[in-house]
Amino acid sequence: VTAYKPVNDTENIYDRLMTDNLSVIDSKNKGRLNNDPSFNASAVFVSNESENKAIFSKACFKKLYPASLTKLMTAYVAYKYSPDLNKQFTVTTESVKMPDPYAKVAGLKDGDKVSVHELLNAALVPSANDAAKALAYAVSGSEDEFVKLMNKEALNLGAVGSHFTNSH
């Protein structure tokens, strides 16, 4: 973590480490954050990066099950370590095997030939777990090796409270 000087006495370094360049709410709707707004979410964090300060937070440090947010880190790592979106990958049974029979999947099968771009789309748009796992295999050869990269990159981004155990 690089040295960081708070803008004021009430701001702390964790406000800054949450994210960079993530637009949570546009300027037209910023006024809706006044007077303790109600969000239908367990946790919320809104910041104004141009002024380098937190605007609103609700349980922003509460540990929550990440659900499909994990796939955002999967996509980030996949693109960082395999930026050629046209790179082809041949799906194997192991690369798409899901322990949860109710997991959301794209229906990838052994022998399918897909690009990194197609896997990213399937992992991010319909949130297909098999596509996220196939991305891990396409980039690192195994999900275990890919998860090591996910955790390394999470630390590099300042997500010190995150720990991933799979790609989905």
Side-chain angles (χ1 to χ4, degrees):
V1 175
T2 57
Y4 173 69
K5 183 177 180 197
V7 173
N8 58 51
D9 292 338
T10 61
E11 184 181 33
N12 68 46
I13 192 168
Y14 296 107
D15 294 341
R16 181 73 181 100
L17 293 177
M18 294 302 288
T19 186
D20 283 327
N21 299 319
L22 176 64
S23 178
V24 178
I25 192 165
D26 62 21
S27 59
K28 291 185 297 187
N29 292 306
K30 181 179 172 185
R32 298 175 70 194
L33 295 173
N34 296 331
N35 302 320
D36 193 26
S38 173
F39 286 96
N40 187 19
S42 299
V44 175
F45 180 83
V46 181
S47 67
N48 180 332
E49 290 299 313
S50 64
E51 294 178 16
N52 206 17
K53 69 177 186 178
I55 296 172
F56 178 79
S57 67
K58 172 184 168 186
C60 69
F61 295 107
K62 181 179 179 183
K63 290 197 182 240
L64 299 168
Y65 183 71
S68 292
L69 291 176
T70 298
K71 291 183 193 82
L72 293 177
M73 180 58 86
T74 296
Y76 174 80
V77 171
Y79 184 71
K80 181 172 183 175
Y81 288 87
S82 188
D84 178 4
L85 298 180
N86 295 316
K87 176 183 171 185
Q88 293 290 306
F89 173 69
T90 302
V91 173
T92 64
T93 301
E94 186 61 31
S95 70
V96 292
K97 185 178 182 181
M98 290 286 111
D100 178 1
Y102 301 107
K104 186 163 190 153
V105 296
L108 295 167
K109 304 276 188 253
D110 184 50
D112 287 348
K113 293 186 186 320
V114 291
S115 68
V116 169
H117 183 258
E118 291 167 323
L119 291 172
L120 282 167
N121 281 341
L124 294 174
V125 179
S127 197
N129 291 350
D130 58 345
K133 187 171 179 183
L135 263 173
Y137 274 77
V139 172
S140 298
S142 76
E143 191 170 34
D144 289 341
E145 290 304 310
F146 188 81
V147 167
K148 289 178 187 175
L149 291 175
M150 290 174 72
N151 287 314
K152 173 185 162 190
E153 292 302 324
L155 289 175
N156 288 343
L157 291 169
V160 296
S162 297
H163 178 76
F164 298 97
T165 58
N166 63 50
S167 60
H168 49 85

